[in-house]
């Protein structure tokens, strides 16, 4: 055999392999499941003023049924094309985000929250809230756990879909270090119960940079956060730059530094005060103007901390699954999945420069 | 009382034998292939007209002791070779050393020639042991080129997770529980191409010794199986070589004698292999576009692997031999991209450079030096010092540099970023073994081993610019471990029919305050000349583990760690019993039942997407483990015919393996296949044409079924607090479902006797998965959405297949 013959054989082999690799054919098939549904609970007791406690109640879904429904779209921003001078054509397009809601909503349950004083509060299902004759301009606000970010839009009637169980009587006033029980009874499901003990209210004492309490934080240098140490408790400390519109439009995208998020032990004196390291930034733009800087200390009860911070240690993974997996988590509740937890926070507003 | 009498009788017998030894003599030496000088393992050596004889061991060494003085005819036989006869004279107390050379010859005679299989059947104590020679390794139709691991996967008791993996899962043990050695040197990551091939070049292999379990006290530090690959020694007669070209790689081998000097002689062998895809693509210069500076961009293939092996044997004198063995092999993923753009402005010239690179070598480098000393005909000592380094080093880098040149000044701004993850293991081992043939019925082996292993696993991030330099090391795990082990084992022929082997291995691990004792017991009873019963068992400790995801079906690399201080050593208990039958036609049958119990295994905790609490550097994604227990049991049947024009084997395994971790409870691991049937056949149609086939039929691998969906939530705790739901799949009990059964037929053909420019060559052709059977590796899932409403209405899945139908071809030259 000469090299030409070897080369010819090689080409034939590669062609045959290409053909061979086209099969065996595989088809998509529906995945069916026979699964006894359980209730899926989002239960939050929020002690922050201006925030509302609420219970979201759903059920698990089969693989072949609707999991989430499209309820609307949110306008994010307008993307403008880069065009050469004199070039005609479209200028750009609106980028929108699809908004989905859980489809398996349970609306007819009896939800009770009670404390250890014998008080019981029935939370009623509310599908929407309406603000009448209200004008919102350039406002961002949070309501029932949703954030509403309005640009220059003016409405005279505003209806917000929430689909939660809330205290409609106005008498539920959660207190710190108090035990609360949750009871949910829904037709066709096993009853769900839960309990928690609300955390102590944290207090940020000061932010100290360069050896003294600072009203202005330099993001590229470390600073310490002091809070009133508690006997116990865990939570999170977060830092966030809140951009005002005084500076150039691109400030938000070019800003460097100031953002952090850490879980903390509110009673651990060995790591106190909590030091935020300086942020390494490539360059400092002299056009940057100082921005608002919000440091928040959130205390969490055991359930909330376990659900959102400790998380679930995965025991099965498959990189071809396009969703995470779970055996189903129950944190602070029994008889269903989800959690029943509580938070309370303190925040301070400072000024930050890069 | 009876046991005391028996002990006294035994002591007296030993004393008489010792005394008698002084009035007898012995014959010892080596049996080798006359053409190449390679030792012939398990050749039968005997004295005519007597019952005295011995089988050569794996090194070809034999000793017949307690021979009364006189004149004898010594014979040596082995299938495929002519009978060797020589007259020798033995004097009192004066042993005779022989160098027996057997010549290849086809014998047509009514004499029954003893095959290696029969020798092993008669002499071997260990259960579950298979020795494969090069012909058997090559008999299995190969994926592109012959591979020792893929051949082993066709044996009973050995499983795999997929066609893309050559890793060995042996009787419930994972690959990290196997001790893989090349000429006695531990190899930590014996794979190329992410596990598709083993790292062993079959052209350089003489034979491979595989123990699926119940191995004796001389081996330690692992719980699963032992594989010792022995390389060729080199042709002692003349220089020869071969070259091999397949679809993936090109291989070469040269071997020959060392020049003789002052009575010293020896041999050498060097072999190497490299893929050539990258070189060919580079040479073709296929343009794929232009860079911003106008220069052409060409297609690149950034991956290659290579390995080379060297072995040198030097006989200082008839009693002393030095052997140096070296192996270097790497997989390399190396890609870089650089671009430069220049802009000329009115007052300034700007040069902008951008570069990106991935450099990822991973592989093994080993060196070993063995000194073999024949202290006396009955005592052989081996001292061995080795170094084995496994290195995995992934390096990702970006660089940006802008140079502004003004009339009166130049400004330079640059940023370099690099990310590195590495795992480095350095193993230095010293061991000594002494084999003492104390009497005709007793062989004692003892020795020690000191093994220093350094583990270094880490992640480094670095950023440098014109003003500053910053390095962050989120992970740095260093471990220095030392195992010091002593072992002794006694192989005792209690009678013609009943043999025992007992041993114990004691290991001190420097991170623990206890001495680990591993007793090992074996028993063999020859019910008849052709039927034997075996029983083996023991304890097996292991002091290292791997931090790999247990659910992965594709494992690119192994990440090794030493067992930390706060964890006990992993432990397995083996018990194996079996019956063997060697037919008069030398067809070997074996039925074995085994049970293994695992304790203190470690399973990596995985996929916690949430933040690690605080900044705890001691708890990371690579050293947090579940305590794991396990057990496995099975029944294996093997029928093996090693000689003749038609040879091969049939193996069937029924196996069950279960592991326990806290979140999952007891479950089958992803490699557990309940039924496996393997058929391997090789038929010599003519002296120039061989056909081979391999058929595998087995149960599907287990997987975890998804049952439904549940909402989980994530949080945003900033000035605007909100929570948002996301879908998670609810999974059922772990690994309770199985993919469809596995089936594959491979065929191969080897055509010999070609001639090209005076060089002899063979061509080999293979077709993998001849029937194009769909073997499922995993399922891919997707969400069904309603195109009109956008609602997510269901989930679909599709099997991800293993090997399709594949043709391969190769050519081998010998000179």
């Amino acid at each position: 055999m000469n090299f030409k013959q070897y080369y010819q054989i090689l080409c034939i082999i590669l062609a045959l392999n290409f053909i061979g690799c086209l099969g065996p054919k595989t088809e998509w098939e529906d995945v069916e499941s026979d699964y006894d549904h359980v209730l899926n609970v989002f239960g939050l007791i929020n002690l922050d003023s201006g925030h509302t406690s609420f219970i979201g109640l759903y059920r698990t879904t089969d693989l072949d049924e609707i999991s989430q429904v499209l309820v609307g779209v949110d306008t994010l921003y307008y993307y403008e094309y880069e065009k050469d001078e004199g070039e005609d054509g479209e200028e750009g397009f609106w980028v929108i985000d699809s908004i989905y809601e859980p489809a398996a909503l349970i609306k007819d349950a009896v939800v009770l929250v009670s404390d250890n004083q014998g008080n019981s509060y029935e939370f009623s299902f509310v599908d929407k809230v309406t603000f009448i004759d209200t004008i919102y301009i350039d406002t961002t606000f949070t309501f029932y756990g949703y954030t509403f970010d309005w640009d220059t839009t003016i409405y005279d009637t505003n209806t917000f879909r929430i689909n939660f169980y809330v205290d409609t009587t106005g008498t539920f006033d959660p207190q710190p270090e108090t035990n609360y029980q949750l009871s949910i009874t829904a037709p066709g499901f096993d009853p769900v119960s839960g309990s928690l003990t609300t955390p102590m209210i944290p207090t940020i004492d000061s932010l100290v940079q360069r050896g003294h309490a600072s009203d202005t934080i330099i993001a590229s240098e470390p600073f310490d956060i002091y809070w009133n140490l508690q006997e116990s408790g865990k939570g999170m400390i977060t830092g966030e730059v809140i951009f005002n519109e005084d500076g150039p439009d691109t400030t938000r995208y070019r800003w460097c530094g100031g953002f952090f998020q850490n879980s903390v032990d509110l009673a651990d004196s060995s790591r106190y005060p909590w030091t935020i390291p300086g942020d390494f930034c490539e360059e400092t733009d002299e056009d940057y103007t100082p921005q608002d800087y919000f440091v928040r200390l959130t205390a969490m009860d055991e359930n909330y901390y376990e659900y959102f911070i400790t998380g679930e240690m995965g025991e099965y993974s498959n990189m071809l699954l396009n969703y995470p997996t779970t055996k189903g988590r129950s944190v602070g509740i029994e008889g269903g999945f989800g959690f029943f937890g509580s938070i309370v926070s303190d925040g301070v507003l400072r000024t930050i420069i890069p | 009382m009876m046991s005391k009498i028996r002990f006294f009788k035994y002591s007296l017998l030993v004393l008489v034998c010792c005394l008698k030894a002084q009035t007898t003599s012995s014959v010892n030496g080596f049996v080798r292939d006359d053409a190449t000088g390679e030792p012939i393992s398990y050749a039968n050596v005997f004295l005519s007209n007597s019952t005295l004889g011995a089988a050569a061991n794996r090194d070809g060494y034999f000793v017949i002791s307690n021979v009364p003085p006189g004149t004898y005819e010594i014979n040596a036989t082995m299938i495929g070779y002519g009978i060797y006869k020589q007259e020798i004279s033995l004097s009192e107390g004066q042993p005779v050393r022989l160098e027996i050379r057997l010549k290849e010859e086809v014998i047509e005679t009514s004499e029954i020639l003893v095959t290696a299989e029969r020798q092993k059947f008669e002499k071997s104590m260990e259960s579950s042991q298979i020795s494969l020679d090069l012909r058997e390794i090559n008999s299995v139709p190969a994926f592109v080129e012959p591979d020792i691991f893929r051949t082993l996967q066709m044996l009973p008791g050995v499983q795999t997770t997929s066609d893309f993996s050559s890793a060995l899962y042996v009787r419930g043990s994972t690959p990290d529980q196997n001790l893989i050695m090349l000429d006695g040197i531990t190899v930590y990551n014996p794979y190329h191409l992410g596990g598709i091939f083993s790292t062993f070049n079959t052209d350089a292999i003489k034979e491979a010794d595989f123990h699926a379990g119940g191995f004796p006290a001389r081996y330690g530090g692992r719980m699963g199986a032992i594989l010792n690959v022995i390389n060729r020694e080199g042709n002692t007669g003349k220089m020869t070589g071969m070259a091999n070209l397949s679809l993936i790689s090109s291989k070469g081998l040269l071997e020959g004698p060392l020049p003789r000097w002052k009575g010293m002689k020896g041999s050498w062998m060097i072999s190497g292999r490299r893929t050539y895809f990258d070189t060919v693509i580079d040479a073709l210069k296929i343009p794929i576009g232009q860079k911003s500076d106008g220069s052409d961009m060409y297609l690149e293939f950034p991956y290659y692997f290579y390995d080379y092996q060297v072995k040198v044997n030097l006989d200082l004198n008839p009693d002393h031999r030095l052997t140096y063995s070296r192996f270097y092999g790497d997989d390399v993923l190396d890609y870089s991209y650089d671009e430069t753009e220049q802009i000329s402005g009115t007052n300034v010239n700007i040069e902008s450079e951008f570069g990106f690179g991935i450099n990822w070598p991973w592989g093994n480098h080993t060196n070993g030096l063995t000194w073999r000393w024949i202290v006396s005909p009955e005592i052989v000592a081996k001292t061995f010092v080795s170094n084995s380094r496994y290195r995995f080093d992934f390096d990702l880098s970006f660089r940006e540099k802008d140079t502004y040149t003004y009339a009166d000044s130049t400004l330079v701004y640059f940023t370099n970023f690099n990310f590195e993850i590495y795992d480095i293991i350095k193993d230095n081992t010293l061991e000594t073994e002494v084999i003492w043939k104390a009497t005709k019925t007793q062989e004692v082996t003892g020795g020690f081993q000191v093994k220093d292993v350094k583990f270094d696993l880490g992640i480094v991030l670095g950023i440098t610019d014109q003003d500053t330099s910053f390095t962050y090391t989120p992970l740095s795990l260093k471990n220095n471990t030392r195992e010091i082990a002593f072992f002794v084992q006694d192989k005792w022929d209690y009678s013609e029919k009943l043999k025992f082997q007992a041993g114990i291995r004691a290991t001190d691990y420097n991170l623990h305050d206890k001495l680990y004792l591993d007793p090992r017991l074996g028993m063999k009873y020859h019910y008849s000349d052709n039927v034997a019963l075996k029983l083996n068992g023991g304890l097996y400790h292991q002091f290292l583990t791997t931090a790999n995801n247990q659910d992965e079906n594709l494992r690119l690399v192994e990440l090794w760690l030493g067992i930390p201080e706060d964890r006990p050593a992993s432990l397995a208990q083996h018990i194996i019993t079996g019956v063997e039958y060697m037919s008069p036609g030398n067809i070997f049958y074996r039925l074995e039942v085994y049970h293994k119990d695992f304790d203190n295994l470690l399973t990596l905790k995985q996929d916690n997407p949430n933040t690690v609490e605080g900044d705890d550097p001691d708890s990371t994604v690579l050293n947090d483990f579940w305590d794991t227990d396990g057990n496995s049991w099975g029944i294996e049947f093997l029928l093996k015919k090693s000689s003749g024009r038609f040879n091969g084997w049939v193996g069937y395994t029924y196996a069950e393996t279960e592991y326990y971790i806290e979140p999952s409870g007891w479950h089958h691991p992803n490699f557990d296949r309940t039924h496996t049937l393997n058929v391997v056949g090789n038929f010599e149609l003519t002296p120039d044409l061989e056909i081979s086939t391999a058929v595998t039929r087995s149960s599907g691998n287990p997987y975890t079924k998804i049952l439904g969906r549940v909402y989980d939530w994530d949080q945003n705790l900033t000035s605007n607090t909100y929570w948002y739901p996301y879908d998670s799949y609810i999974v059922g009990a772990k690994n309770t479902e199985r993919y469809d059964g596995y089936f594959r037929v491979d065929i191969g053909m080897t055509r010999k006797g070609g001639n090209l420019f005076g060089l002899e060559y063979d061509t080999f052709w293979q077709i993998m998965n001849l029937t194009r059977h769909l073997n499922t590796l995993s399922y891919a899932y997707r969400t069904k959405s309603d195109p009109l409403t956008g609602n997510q209405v269901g989930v679909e899945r599709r099997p991800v297949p293993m090997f399709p139908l594949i043709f391969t071809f190769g050519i081998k030259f010998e000179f």
Side-chain angles (χ1 to χ4, degrees), chain B residues 15 113 244 296 306 308 344 354 357 413 443 477 544 574 636 658 750 758 763 789 796 801:
Chain B
L15 182 62
L113 291 173
N244 205 321
D296 287 332
Y306 76 92
Y308 74 87
S344 294
F354 171 76
Y413 300 97
E443 183 178 281
L477 294 175
L544 66 172
H574 296 197
E636 295 169 9
E658 285 189 316
T750 304
T763 54
T789 64
E796 293 174 311

Side-chain angles (χ1 to χ4, degrees), chain B residues 343-351 403-407 409-411:
Chain B
I343 303 168
S344 294
T346 308
N347 299 315
V348 62
N349 291 325
I350 305 169
E351 184 178 79
T403 307
Y404 299 86
T405 306
Y406 298 90
S409 62
T410 301
L411 292 174

